[in-house]
Amino acid sequence: MGHRPSMPDSLPVLGPSRASSDVIYAFGHGHIGMTSAPMTGKIVADLLSGRPAPIDIAPFAAGRFA
């Protein structure tokens, strides 16, 4: 149980950090973290391998809060 971090717009943050391309963000899934884990893992694996994500991850960028 415990806290379930979620973002103000209810979308998770997914994608590379602007500060370092070696860092991939994947957090803020709120109450659907277990359900979202397989697709999030695929997205992170693809990004780390240099492959494009299987979906458009632009809506999930951390920069949307800047």
Side-chain angles (χ1 to χ4, degrees):
M1 298 319 264
H3 297 287
R4 294 186 176 130
S6 59
M7 306 310 297
D9 60 1
S10 300
L11 295 175
V13 173
L14 299 171
S17 164
R18 287 188 295 185
S20 174
S21 61
D22 294 338
V23 175
I24 303 293
Y25 293 133
F27 62 88
H29 291 79
H31 294 268
I32 59 168
M34 293 290 286
T35 306
S36 302
M39 181 55 93
T40 297
K42 168 100 174 91
I43 291 168
V44 170
D46 285 344
L47 294 174
L48 288 172
S49 299
R51 295 185 301 260
I55 63 168
D56 178 17
I57 60 171
F60 305 104
R64 71 184 189 263
F65 299 110

